[in-house]
Amino acid sequence: MPFVRIDALRADGRRLEALGQAVHDALVETIGIPYNDLFQVLTSHDGTQGVVRYGDYPGVRRDDDLVFVSITMRSGRTADQKRALYRRIADLALGYAGTEPRNVFVRITENESIDWSFGDGVAQYAGLEQQPNGERR
Amino acid sequence: MPFVRIDALRADGRRLEALGQAVHDALVETIGIPYNDLFQVLTSHDGTQGVVRYGDYPGVRRDDDLVFVSITMRSGRTADQKRALYRRIADLALGYAGTEPRNVFVRITENESIDWSFGDGVAQYAGLEQQPNGERR
Amino acid sequence: MPFVRIDALRADGRRLEALGQAVHDALVETIGIPYNDLFQVLTSHDGTQGVVRYGDYPGVRRDDDLVFVSITMRSGRTADQKRALYRRIADLALGYAGTEPRNVFVRITENESIDWSFGDGVAQYAGLEQQPNGERR
């Protein structure tokens, strides 16, 4: 279910794949996403048709290796799960893509079970409840 | 009001337009969006600067014809309206673009009336209530 | 914290930068965002691999200068702050980029403090409350 969008500057396909895999493995490890529950759009911006702008708020030294990770998922994950997720994304982005933790920016947007159709014109999650621990019934 | 973003892999302009129209007609038919209430950004990714990754969760056989449809709209639509929307998007994507239902992935994100400015620096919906049937007062 | 995405049609890097700066200055002036709290992805679509579609709802005459501005930020801003933001974005887009107010489309999506990691694998806002006036404690 998580839908992941990653935006980076002048990244080749190999770096994009590595970053995508880092985020996916972190989701699997920290909040129990099934391994085949993978939906990602990864974009490299060239600096002219696609521009990335950033500051150093809140005291983080970034450079053009900056990666924006946007995750949409159902509500129900705890604060501790999200903290573990951020930690693990940063670790794996370094391990898989050599991207330093200071350059990994993550934001989460939540919606509900009825807000997903995984194909076939059906709302597969409709009626499913989300357990506080992130597992599905 | 709905803002629609579509991401596909190696789609030409014609396929993008057909997919956009499928989503728009489905919104008009199933949740009463005015026909001129059309706001879409459609992107074709080339597989290197723009990469799309996917698994087969939850048991859906996808291939590179996969289309990600992201819809942002005000809260207030019922579960039944959303189900009808997913069904109709899948039907029309097949009819207009030849995209099989298994390759149509949809997610919805909701916000509120105050969260939209349609131009002129004004929050046109502010103060408007949303009827449960999706019509505007 | 606000994450800003801008989509425009056949805009050069200079116009993208000017539009990005317009949105950022408006956020700083109307809702008290720190100046270095800048996170933007600006995309120019070429009309074939990236397509922008629009209608004239709700009675706004748009053309290919249309700009879609998408802002994600924490909940807590008031309706008045959002109105001021829309007004100021339209004014500055005209002043900086020559984009007419009728061509400036803005939508806001909100999330919570725990939903942001600004780098270093940490949820920097976790536990912070948001004041109604938009200032942070």
Side-chain angles (χ1 to χ4, degrees):
Chain A
M1 156 205 58
F3 177 84
V4 171
R5 199 179 286 276
I6 293 179
D7 295 275
L9 201 52
R10 290 182 284 273
D12 58 17
R14 196 162 165 174
R15 184 170 177 240
L16 289 179
E17 294 271 355
L19 291 167
Q21 193 60 39
V23 173
H24 189 60
D25 285 352
L27 285 163
V28 170
E29 291 177 26
T30 63
I31 60 175
I33 298 296
Y35 193 79
N36 64 339
D37 189 354
L38 167 72
F39 303 102
Q40 301 187 335
V41 174
L42 319 177
T43 306
S44 171
H45 301 277
D46 65 3
T48 57
Q49 295 305 294
V51 173
V52 170
R53 303 176 84 224
Y54 52 89
D56 63 0
Y57 180 86
V60 176
R61 193 168 50 87
R62 300 178 180 88
D63 59 34
D64 282 358
D65 271 352
L66 177 61
V67 175
F68 289 119
V69 178
S70 304
I71 300 171
T72 306
M73 59 184 182
R74 289 189 292 171
S75 65
R77 269 68 192 195
T78 66
D80 280 350
Q81 287 180 306
K82 291 177 182 177
R83 285 176 203 268
L85 174 63
Y86 301 144
R87 178 77 270 148
R88 194 62 180 150
I89 290 174
D91 289 347
L92 294 180
L94 180 61
Y96 294 179
T99 300
E100 292 183 42
R102 63 189 171 92
N103 278 320
V104 180
F105 181 106
V106 186
R107 83 190 150 102
I108 293 173
T109 305
E110 294 182 333
N111 61 6
E112 303 306 323
S113 294
I114 190 64
D115 295 323
W116 298 85
S117 172
F118 294 94
D120 295 330
V122 174
Q124 282 89 348
Y125 278 165
L128 288 187
E129 297 297 317
Q130 178 77 21
Q131 300 284 59
N133 63 359
E135 291 182 83
R136 299 185 187 92
R137 287 193 240 194
Chain B
M1 155 207 60
F3 177 84
V4 172
R5 198 179 286 277
I6 294 179
D7 295 275
L9 200 53
R10 289 181 286 272
D12 59 18
R14 196 163 167 174
R15 183 170 178 238
L16 289 179
E17 294 272 355
L19 291 167
Q21 194 60 39
V23 173
H24 189 59
D25 286 352
L27 284 162
V28 170
E29 290 177 27
T30 62
I31 61 175
I33 297 297
Y35 192 78
N36 64 341
D37 189 353
L38 167 72
F39 303 102
Q40 302 187 335
V41 175
L42 319 178
T43 306
S44 170
H45 301 278
D46 66 2
T48 56
Q49 294 306 293
V51 172
V52 171
R53 303 175 85 224
Y54 53 89
D56 62 1
Y57 179 84
V60 177
R61 193 169 49 87
R62 301 178 179 87
D63 58 35
D64 282 359
D65 271 352
L66 177 61
V67 176
F68 289 118
V69 178
S70 304
I71 300 171
T72 307
M73 60 184 181
R74 287 190 292 171
S75 64
R77 269 68 192 195
T78 65
D80 281 349
Q81 287 179 305
K82 291 177 181 177
R83 286 176 202 268
L85 175 64
Y86 301 144
R87 177 77 269 148
R88 194 63 181 149
I89 290 175
D91 289 348
L92 294 180
L94 179 62
Y96 295 179
T99 301
E100 294 183 39
R102 63 190 170 93
N103 278 320
V104 180
F105 180 106
V106 186
R107 84 191 150 102
I108 293 173
T109 305
E110 293 183 334
N111 61 7
E112 303 306 323
S113 294
I114 189 65
D115 296 322
W116 297 86
S117 173
F118 294 94
D120 295 330
V122 175
Q124 282 88 348
Y125 277 165
L128 287 187
E129 296 297 318
Q130 178 77 22
Q131 299 284 59
N133 62 0
E135 291 180 84
R136 298 183 188 92
R137 288 192 239 198
Chain C
M1 155 207 59
F3 177 84
V4 172
R5 198 179 286 277
I6 294 180
D7 294 276
L9 201 52
R10 289 181 285 273
D12 59 18
R14 197 163 166 174
R15 183 169 178 239
L16 289 180
E17 294 271 355
L19 290 168
Q21 194 60 40
V23 173
H24 188 61
D25 286 352
L27 285 163
V28 169
E29 290 176 27
T30 62
I31 61 175
I33 298 296
Y35 192 79
N36 64 340
D37 189 355
L38 167 72
F39 302 102
Q40 301 187 334
V41 175
L42 319 177
T43 306
S44 171
H45 300 277
D46 66 2
T48 56
Q49 294 305 294
V51 172
V52 171
R53 304 176 82 225
Y54 53 90
D56 62 1
Y57 179 85
V60 177
R61 194 169 48 88
R62 300 179 179 86
D63 58 34
D64 282 359
D65 271 353
L66 178 61
V67 175
F68 290 118
V69 178
S70 304
I71 301 171
T72 307
M73 59 184 182
R74 287 190 293 169
S75 64
R77 268 69 192 194
T78 66
D80 280 350
Q81 287 179 305
K82 290 177 182 177
R83 286 176 203 269
L85 175 63
Y86 301 144
R87 177 78 269 148
R88 194 63 181 148
I89 290 175
D91 289 348
L92 294 180
L94 180 61
Y96 295 178
T99 300
E100 293 183 39
R102 63 190 171 91
N103 278 321
V104 180
F105 181 106
V106 186
R107 84 191 149 103
I108 294 173
T109 306
E110 294 182 333
N111 61 7
E112 303 306 323
S113 294
I114 190 63
D115 296 322
W116 298 85
S117 173
F118 294 94
D120 296 331
V122 174
Q124 282 88 348
Y125 277 166
L128 287 188
E129 295 298 316
Q130 178 77 22
Q131 299 284 58
N133 63 0
E135 292 182 84
R136 297 183 189 94
R137 288 191 239 195

